[in-house]
Amino acid sequence: MEMQEKFKMKINKLYLKNIRSYKEAEIEMPSSSVLLCGDIGSGKTTILLAIEFALFGLQKGILSGASLLRHGSSTGIARLDFEVGGKHVVIERTLKRTAKGIVQDKGSITIQGKHESLSAEELKQRVLELLAYPAEFLKKTNMLYRYTVYTPQEEMRAILQESPEERIDTLRKIFGVDKYKRIKENSAILSRVLRESIKNKQSLVTDIEEKKATLAQKESSKADIAKKISIATTKLASVKTSLESCKIELKKSEEQAEKLRVLSSEIERKRAELSATKEHKEELQQNRLELVEIIEKAKKTIKTIKPDLLKKEFEQKLEQKKFELENLRKALLIIDKKLGGLEQELEEKKELIKKISTFEKCPLCRQAVTKVHRKELLAEIKTELKEKSNMLEQERSKRDRTEKAIELAKKALEKLQVEQLEAEKMELQLQNIKEKESELKRIDAMILRYIEKEDDIAKELEKLVLHYKDNEKITEKIKKLKEEFELLMQEERKLAVAKAQLDGEAKLLEETICTLRKELATKEAIKKDIMQLSELREWLDNAFLATIEAIEKTVLSKLHHDFSELFRKWFGMLVTDMDSRIDENFTPIIESQGYELDYSYLSGGERTAAALAYRLALNHVINSLMTKLKTNDLLILDEPTDGFSSAQIEKLRDVLSELAVKQLILVSHETEVEDFVEHVIHFRKEQGTTKIS
Ligand SMILES: Nc1ncnc2c1ncn2[C@@H]1O[C@H](COP(=O)(O)OP(=O)(O)OP(=O)(O)O)[C@@H](O)[C@H]1O
Ligand SMILES: [Mg+2]
């Protein structure tokens, strides 16, 4: 913590491995002033180069790998242990020999014990941050360190021997005022670019007024078309409405027509029904007439008959006659039997007579028959015979009478049967008439129904026909409506086409207007740009450049003044008999007895003194200009006394004490210098390798 207060930055120690004359070494750096002392080539400068390498890495043109890596070694290490801004930092960088040459390998940084492996570039960035160096040095050669902390032995003389132009350029860089020159150059470039750009832009806006006029014209056309479209839209809408109502009307009428069509077929149907009914009726009437006639005829034929009585009478009479006939037949049979018996008796009597006449003995009594007896007998038999013959005769006439009676009865029965048949026929006919009469009644009823029906149909038909009367009108109306519809459709189509055309025109116009507006907006913007750019250019060419020049002049003159004063002071301390100053080109002007001496005419010691004074003045001016730099407290001087007389070396002590740097690293082989410092490190080289004591 104490460190933080005393030092912005302090180098603690340096570890080297395979760097130039070092195989491996570690050097502790005291916190105050130290002298690195040793013979030529003993390894002093190597320490300073290694510190620079550890901090910033290899730098193109001023610090190469080849100048650092020890011959014969494939890798080298430089590790710097230091304090900065109160932090303990250790940086380690490595070198590596490759086929392409010696390059930086990965390094590391440890800040307050926090270790990080980083690339060479990342390391440099970290260091610049830690040292509060401008970030622009990341890509550039780190001249700031070179002229404020450590200037290699030959570097300072080189700057003094450069042409004034180059020197002032270098100084501008170191002072950080080269930016003014760059600003001026860049603003000149910018001014040119601006002029070019303005010219280009101007060519883009020459037609702006013309475009405006076109736009106005297009806009008025657009308004016209919009009006036309509005009219067309209204018309179209009204046509559409008419079309719609026409459609509705047409539909209604067609529906009506359809109803009438249905009515017409209904009428047809009714008419057919009516004529069918009439036909039926007439047919029935005809039938009726026929039937009446038939009935009349039938009635005439059976007028006398009392049908009910007739039937019983006939039955009784028939029964009677049949019975009578039966009785007669039975009587006849009895008569026939009697006849048969009488005939047989007669035969037998005749036979008996014959026999008696011839017989000697009575057949009956078996006695001899006498003539009287015979005669008696014969007479008796003959009387019997006569009796019997009378009886037969009587019977025979009785039979004849019976037969005749039978014949009569038969005939009467036959007659009766015929009459009965006739009566039955009559009855049937009567039945028939009755049926016909009921049929007639039925027909009459039907005729009546048909007449009613006919009447009904006729009434209905009359109604239907009355309704149908409108038909003609509707057909006419539909025709008219259809014509009207067609006309409206045509009108609509025409209007739609016209509107579509107008819409197309409007769209085209709109697009054109849109494009024009965009173009105009762009052109207006360009115009604005031109104004701004012109203002900028005006400002750049006049105010800005003048200001920059003024700033530069002020800064430079301040720097120049301080620088000159310091240079005069340091040089005056080292070389007492000469006067000195710095001219406007930062060239040291040395005067001796009123004569200006060129630097190259100075003695070696004077030249060293001038270089040292220049170097110290530079250090001081920069540090006072950039107070934030952490390296302000560190000064490294390599052989500042080359060519000095012992008196001059003695003066160096005053210069150094006046500088009052907190950590001073001096390199010198002048033993007197040992007294100026608090610590001395001795270097010697044995067989190409540095040893430290
Ligand atoms: N790549 C290298 N490998 C080995 N040795 C080298 C390499 N480069 C230089 N040397 C030697 O290392 C030695 C130390 O050099 P250095 O510049 O440190 O000497 P010095 O002590 O500063 O000498 P002087 O007082 O002359 O300036 C010199 O002998 C030099 O020739
Ligand atoms: Mg050296």
Side-chain angles (χ1 to χ4, degrees):
M1 291 308 277
E2 214 181 313
M3 284 301 165
Q4 198 184 348
E5 283 157 23
K6 271 176 107 180
F7 297 92
K8 282 185 176 175
M9 176 175 171
K10 188 186 92 66
I11 291 169
N12 294 329
K13 56 189 176 186
L14 177 71
Y15 168 83
L16 304 172
K17 187 165 186 188
N18 296 331
I19 301 295
R20 284 159 73 105
S21 55
Y22 295 84
K23 268 187 181 158
E24 189 169 18
E26 188 169 59
I27 305 120
E28 296 273 350
M29 288 291 178
S31 53
S32 52
S33 52
V34 64
L35 175 70
L36 311 183
C37 175
D39 281 342
I40 289 168
S42 58
K44 307 179 293 289
T45 298
T46 302
I47 295 297
L48 309 182
L49 291 173
I51 291 171
E52 192 183 11
F53 169 64
L55 286 172
F56 304 106
L58 295 182
Q59 297 182 83
K60 216 174 169 191
I62 61 168
L63 196 57
S64 68
S67 70
L68 287 171
L69 186 63
R70 184 176 168 85
H71 300 315
S73 300
S74 55
T75 56
I77 300 172
R79 185 166 65 222
L80 185 67
D81 184 319
F82 63 105
E83 315 278 335
V84 66
K87 288 177 187 159
H88 177 225
V89 183
V90 179
I91 298 176
E92 181 175 295
R93 284 186 191 262
T94 54
L95 288 169
K96 187 170 75 175
R97 198 181 294 276
T98 68
K100 283 182 187 165
I102 294 146
V103 295
Q104 295 185 86
D105 208 357
K106 269 218 156 165
S108 72
I109 188 163
T110 309
I111 302 172
Q112 297 286 74
K114 194 168 167 262
H115 183 88
E116 266 183 286
S117 256
L118 296 172
S119 71
E121 184 92 336
E122 290 166 338
L123 271 177
K124 188 173 177 187
Q125 193 181 338
R126 284 296 177 84
V127 170
L128 291 178
E129 283 165 17
L130 283 168
L131 301 185
Y133 272 36
E136 65 192 67
F137 288 119
L138 186 62
K139 299 278 173 201
K140 287 201 296 189
T141 308
N142 194 356
M143 297 307 282
L144 194 59
Y145 177 81
R146 283 245 152 162
Y147 290 113
T148 55
V149 182
Y150 164 61
T151 317
Q153 270 170 293
E154 302 308 318
E155 210 76 11
M156 202 43 67
R157 287 203 184 130
I159 193 178
L160 289 177
Q161 281 164 332
E162 272 170 358
S163 73
E165 279 297 302
E166 275 176 88
R167 181 183 314 111
I168 201 133
D169 252 14
T170 312
L171 287 175
R172 274 177 198 278
K173 274 183 204 144
I174 301 161
F175 293 148
V177 290
D178 62 324
K179 62 183 169 224
Y180 297 114
K181 194 183 167 201
R182 261 182 291 128
I183 288 167
K184 281 196 278 179
E185 284 166 0
N186 287 343
S187 52
I189 292 169
L190 182 59
S191 175
R192 263 204 310 283
V193 170
L194 284 175
R195 197 185 63 212
E196 213 40 47
S197 169
I198 288 164
K199 227 168 92 188
N200 287 341
K201 281 176 195 290
Q202 270 164 346
S203 75
L204 292 175
V205 296
T206 46
D207 57 350
I208 195 162
E209 290 311 317
E210 196 185 306
K211 291 266 177 195
K212 271 183 188 166
T214 313
L215 179 63
Q217 187 211 319
K218 295 279 176 198
E219 266 167 350
S220 96
S221 307
K222 188 188 151 192
D224 284 352
I225 284 185
K227 253 185 231 160
K228 279 183 194 166
I229 286 175
S230 157
I231 291 164
T233 309
T234 319
K235 266 193 201 165
L236 197 59
S238 107
V239 166
K240 271 188 175 152
T241 316
S242 307
L243 208 52
E244 204 50 44
S245 55
C246 185
K247 216 169 159 183
I248 290 165
E249 190 68 14
L250 196 58
K251 204 185 162 197
K252 254 203 272 175
S253 300
E254 268 167 352
E255 275 167 9
Q256 227 170 324
E258 180 57 32
K259 269 187 203 159
L260 283 171
R261 258 196 293 284
V262 172
L263 196 62
S264 151
S265 64
E266 181 84 339
I267 286 169
E268 280 313 304
R269 216 165 44 74
K270 282 283 171 209
R271 274 185 182 144
E273 206 184 339
L274 186 64
S275 73
T277 311
K278 239 181 208 167
E279 244 170 63
H280 272 131
K281 188 192 77 184
E282 278 161 11
E283 206 175 303
L284 278 173
Q285 280 168 338
Q286 186 61 39
N287 285 353
R288 188 184 181 278
L289 283 179
E290 280 166 19
L291 203 56
V292 167
E293 207 174 317
I294 289 166
I295 289 168
E296 288 303 310
K297 254 190 205 166
K299 269 184 180 170
K300 268 178 198 164
T301 56
I302 54 162
K303 242 178 202 168
T304 51
I305 291 171
K306 285 174 191 161
D308 280 346
L309 273 174
L310 204 71
K311 203 178 174 186
K312 273 181 199 166
E313 247 173 78
F314 273 117
E315 270 169 12
Q316 268 177 8
K317 275 185 182 174
L318 266 173
E319 246 1 83
Q320 223 176 322
K321 277 288 165 212
K322 272 179 190 169
F323 186 68
E324 204 179 317
L325 194 63
E326 198 64 27
N327 281 347
L328 284 173
R329 276 189 184 135
K330 275 179 191 166
L332 192 65
L333 272 177
I334 293 165
I335 291 168
D336 276 346
K337 219 176 182 178
K338 245 184 193 172
L339 271 177
L342 283 173
E343 277 170 354
Q344 207 175 338
E345 267 180 65
L346 280 173
E347 272 316 298
E348 278 170 9
K349 292 293 181 195
K350 280 171 182 177
E351 212 58 37
L352 207 44
I353 294 169
K354 258 179 203 175
K355 272 175 181 177
I356 291 171
S357 343
T358 61
F359 285 170
E360 292 305 308
K361 288 181 191 165
C362 181
L364 295 167
C365 51
R366 289 304 146 201
Q367 287 171 357
V369 183
T370 65
K371 268 186 170 184
V372 174
H373 191 45
R374 204 174 281 206
K375 225 184 168 177
E376 276 173 354
L377 247 167
L378 271 170
E380 195 186 346
I381 294 169
K382 273 181 185 175
T383 357
E384 267 177 352
L385 194 59
K386 208 174 175 179
E387 231 178 292
K388 286 292 173 188
S389 282
N390 281 346
M391 266 173 84
L392 189 64
E393 219 39 55
Q394 270 177 5
E395 277 309 310
R396 271 183 183 157
S397 81
K398 202 179 170 185
R399 194 183 180 272
D400 282 347
R401 281 192 316 268
T402 307
E403 268 189 335
K404 271 179 190 160
I406 286 171
E407 212 49 45
L408 277 172
K410 260 185 183 174
K411 273 183 185 163
L413 190 63
E414 268 169 22
K415 199 188 165 202
L416 266 174
Q417 276 173 335
V418 167
E419 278 173 356
Q420 194 195 21
L421 269 175
E422 195 71 14
E424 273 173 5
K425 247 166 88 186
M426 285 299 153
E427 205 173 355
L428 270 176
Q429 207 158 356
L430 212 63
Q431 190 67 33
N432 196 19
I433 289 169
K434 263 184 194 167
E435 277 169 20
K436 294 277 186 226
E437 274 172 345
S438 78
E439 170 87 8
L440 193 64
K441 265 184 199 165
R442 203 174 53 81
I443 287 175
D444 279 344
M446 268 170 83
I447 288 171
L448 209 68
R449 277 210 302 281
Y450 271 110
I451 289 170
E452 279 168 12
K453 198 178 168 189
E454 203 184 321
D455 208 33
D456 287 349
I457 293 171
K459 274 178 192 160
E460 279 174 42
L461 196 59
E462 204 178 334
K463 259 193 230 167
L464 290 175
V465 167
L466 212 68
H467 278 299
Y468 190 66
K469 266 187 189 166
D470 298 340
N471 187 36
E472 286 283 285
K473 275 190 228 159
I474 279 295
T475 316
E476 188 57 28
K477 193 178 176 189
I478 287 174
K479 200 183 151 202
K480 269 189 187 156
L481 279 170
K482 273 183 177 167
E483 278 165 11
E484 194 188 336
F485 189 77
E486 194 48 46
L487 279 175
L488 283 168
M489 284 284 274
Q490 276 171 15
E491 175 92 19
E492 193 208 14
R493 272 198 293 276
K494 232 165 71 188
L495 280 169
V497 167
K499 194 185 165 275
Q501 255 167 10
L502 284 170
D503 283 343
E505 273 176 53
K507 203 180 161 211
L508 209 73
L509 262 176
E510 186 58 52
E511 276 164 17
T512 314
I513 286 169
C514 191
T515 314
L516 271 171
R517 279 196 185 135
K518 271 186 202 156
E519 265 180 63
L520 273 170
T522 314
K523 282 180 194 289
E524 290 291 355
I526 292 171
K527 231 174 144 183
K528 213 169 147 194
D529 265 8
I530 292 171
M531 264 167 67
Q532 280 175 350
L533 292 177
S534 303
E535 272 173 29
L536 179 63
R537 187 164 172 252
E538 175 81 13
W539 174 80
L540 205 63
D541 287 353
N542 302 312
F544 183 70
L545 262 186
T547 311
I548 290 296
E549 260 164 17
I551 292 171
E552 188 188 20
K553 232 180 192 166
T554 315
V555 171
L556 272 179
S557 79
K558 172 83 171 83
L559 282 174
H560 179 265
H561 177 262
D562 294 354
F563 196 98
S564 188
E565 283 300 301
L566 286 166
F567 177 77
R568 241 185 113 229
K569 186 174 153 193
W570 305 137
F571 187 77
M573 282 172 82
L574 293 169
V575 183
T576 47
D577 58 344
M578 284 182 169
D579 201 9
S580 66
R581 64 185 165 90
I582 297 289
D583 75 0
E584 61 278 12
N585 294 322
F586 287 84
T587 307
I589 307 292
I590 315 291
E591 281 177 21
S592 178
Q593 267 116 45
Y595 294 97
E596 273 186 23
L597 292 169
D598 195 90
Y599 179 77
S600 57
Y601 298 155
L602 296 175
S603 76
E606 284 164 353
R607 275 207 292 255
T608 304
L612 184 61
Y614 204 85
R615 159 87 170 74
L616 292 176
L618 201 55
N619 169 283
H620 210 78
V621 166
I622 292 168
N623 283 343
S624 63
L625 199 71
M626 301 165 136
T627 50
K628 279 184 187 158
L629 301 181
K630 297 281 190 246
T631 49
N632 283 353
D633 293 339
L634 178 65
L635 184 64
I636 300 171
L637 296 170
D638 194 358
E639 299 286 2
T641 56
D642 193 26
F644 274 17
S645 65
S646 40
Q648 275 178 316
I649 291 170
E650 205 42 51
K651 288 275 166 52
L652 182 64
R653 184 203 294 272
D654 303 335
V655 171
L656 290 178
S657 64
E658 182 126 341
L659 274 171
V661 179
K662 283 180 181 154
Q663 189 172 32
L664 177 69
I665 300 171
L666 262 178
V667 173
S668 180
H669 42 248
E670 312 285 353
T671 45
E672 291 116 298
V673 181
E674 287 183 23
D675 296 341
F676 302 178
V677 296
E678 286 173 38
H679 306 274
V680 181
I681 301 172
H682 291 281
F683 294 78
R684 73 200 138 75
K685 202 169 68 177
E686 285 175 11
Q687 289 151 1
T689 304
T690 299
K691 305 278 171 194
I692 306 160
S693 52

